[in-house]
Amino acid sequence: MTLRVDGLLNLRDLGGMPTGTGATVQPGRLWRSENQTLLTPAALDALVEQGLSDVIDLRTDFEVNGSPSPFAERAGVAYHHLSYFPTAADDDADVLDQALPWVDNELKVTPVTGNEHADGYLMFLAMRPDSVIAALRAIAGAEGAALVHCAVGRDRTGFTVALALALVGVADDVIAADYARTADAIVDVIANLWKDPTYEAEAGGRIDPDAVRPTPEPMLAILDHLTRTHGSVRAALTPLGWTDADQAALERHLLDA
C-alpha cells in the first residue's frame, strides 16, 4: 500500500501481502523507499508519526558521507547503515558507476540466471553477505516499521525486500509485482535525486524510461535461481549466517497480528 509523505515518491508499506500458509504481512512492519536526504523536518516527523522505528540505509559510504541520513542522529529511530559494496571501494566516487540505476553497470557479474539485472543483484550475496544478513536482521528486530532504502529504492532495496518477503512465504509473483511497482515513479525519483549534491554530478540530462523502469523478470529470475540451486531462499541464506532464531524473529515481526 502507498504511504503519503511529501518528498517521497517511491514509499510504500508491504503490508497486506499473503503468504502460502494463509498468513498476511502486517501493515506498519516493512516499508521501502528512496533516500530521505531532501525531506523537510515535517516530512521526517510524518514518517515517525506513522510508525517508523528503524531505517536500513543500503547506500555506500561515499553516498552516506556526502548526504548523511537525517535519521542517523535522530532519537527514537534506530539507524542501520549497511553497504552492499566491497569496503575497499565503498568510499570511492567511482562506486556510483555500479550502484546507481541510470549509469552503465560495470560490475563483473557471473551469468547464472540468464538475466543481467538478476545476476547483478545476486552479486550482493557474494560481495557483502554480512550486510545482507544484517539488513534482514534489522528488519526482524524492528519495534515498528523498518524502512529499507538505497538511493532510488529499486535495486538494493528491491533485492532486500524480496528476500525478506520470500523468507516468510510470500509468492514469487507477488514479490516480483511489488518490485516492478517502482516503475511508476522511478523517472521522477531519479530527477529528484539529482537535486542532491552527492548525485548531481551523475545527472545525464534526459532519462531513458525504458532503461530504468524495472520489470518483474529480474526478481522472478533471482527467486527461481535460489530455489532451484538451494531448495529455498532460506536454505540459500543459511550458509551466510541466517539462523532459525533469525527466521523466527522475522516471522514474528512481519506476520504476527
Side-chain angles (χ1 to χ4, degrees), residues 113-199:
T113 69
N115 183 289
E116 182 179 4
H117 286 298
D119 292 340
Y121 296 162
L122 286 170
M123 285 294 294
F124 297 145
L125 290 176
M127 294 189 299
R128 293 302 299 271
D130 56 329
S131 289
V132 175
I133 297 299
L136 294 169
R137 284 180 178 150
I139 295 170
E143 293 185 3
L147 173 58
V148 181
H149 78 88
C150 48
V152 299
R154 185 189 76 172
D155 301 324
R156 292 166 283 185
T157 297
F159 180 69
T160 306
V161 166
L163 293 180
L165 295 173
L167 283 166
V168 298
V170 177
D172 292 1
D173 61 334
V174 176
I175 295 170
D178 171 72
Y179 166 76
R181 278 188 62 190
T182 293
D184 298 337
I186 194 168
V187 172
D188 291 335
V189 170
I190 291 173
N192 193 50
L193 187 69
W194 283 341
K195 299 173 185 177
D196 185 316
T198 299
Y199 303 96

Side-chain angles (χ1 to χ4, degrees), residues 205-240:
R206 180 181 177 275
I207 302 166
D208 181 357
D210 293 333
V212 297
R213 284 177 180 151
T215 64
E217 284 72 25
M219 208 51 63
L220 290 171
I222 287 171
L223 297 170
D224 175 69
H225 171 76
L226 294 176
T227 299
R228 283 189 298 102
T229 56
H230 298 278
S232 67
V233 170
R234 181 177 178 180
L237 297 179
T238 298
L240 305 181

Side-chain angles (χ1 to χ4, degrees), residues 11 34 80-81 105 139 153 156 186 212 230 251:
L11 171 67
E34 70 269 42
H80 314 263
H81 174 219
N105 192 315
I139 295 170
R156 292 166 283 185
I186 194 168
V212 297
H230 298 278
E251 292 174 0

Side-chain angles (χ1 to χ4, degrees), residues 1-212:
M1 68 185 75
T2 301
L3 297 169
R4 301 296 180 188
V5 172
D6 288 344
L8 289 180
L9 307 176
N10 196 25
L11 171 67
R12 56 188 182 273
D13 187 329
L14 285 305
M17 292 188 174
T19 71
T21 62
T24 301
V25 176
Q26 297 298 303
R29 309 293 176 82
L30 178 59
W31 298 348
R32 60 179 296 171
S33 80
E34 70 269 42
N35 82 64
Q36 302 94 47
T37 56
L38 299 177
L39 295 187
T40 65
L44 298 172
D45 290 344
L47 286 168
V48 175
E49 290 164 4
Q50 293 184 60
L52 177 68
S53 70
D54 289 68
V55 171
I56 299 155
D57 185 346
L58 304 178
R59 295 177 300 151
T60 66
D61 287 353
F62 178 82
E63 292 171 275
V64 169
N65 290 338
S67 298
S69 169
F71 289 109
E73 303 295 334
R74 181 164 182 143
V77 176
Y79 175 70
H80 314 263
H81 174 219
L82 299 162
S83 173
Y84 280 2
F85 284 82
T87 55
D90 207 28
D91 59 356
D92 189 333
D94 289 341
V95 80
L96 292 186
D97 290 336
Q98 302 170 355
L100 298 178
W102 60 83
V103 296
D104 292 332
N105 192 315
E106 297 177 357
L107 279 176
K108 298 299 186 286
V109 301
T110 302
V112 293
T113 69
N115 183 289
E116 182 179 4
H117 286 298
D119 292 340
Y121 296 162
L122 286 170
M123 285 294 294
F124 297 145
L125 290 176
M127 294 189 299
R128 293 302 299 271
D130 56 329
S131 289
V132 175
I133 297 299
L136 294 169
R137 284 180 178 150
I139 295 170
E143 293 185 3
L147 173 58
V148 181
H149 78 88
C150 48
V152 299
R154 185 189 76 172
D155 301 324
R156 292 166 283 185
T157 297
F159 180 69
T160 306
V161 166
L163 293 180
L165 295 173
L167 283 166
V168 298
V170 177
D172 292 1
D173 61 334
V174 176
I175 295 170
D178 171 72
Y179 166 76
R181 278 188 62 190
T182 293
D184 298 337
I186 194 168
V187 172
D188 291 335
V189 170
I190 291 173
N192 193 50
L193 187 69
W194 283 341
K195 299 173 185 177
D196 185 316
T198 299
Y199 303 96
E200 65 181 358
E202 297 289 332
R206 180 181 177 275
I207 302 166
D208 181 357
D210 293 333
V212 297

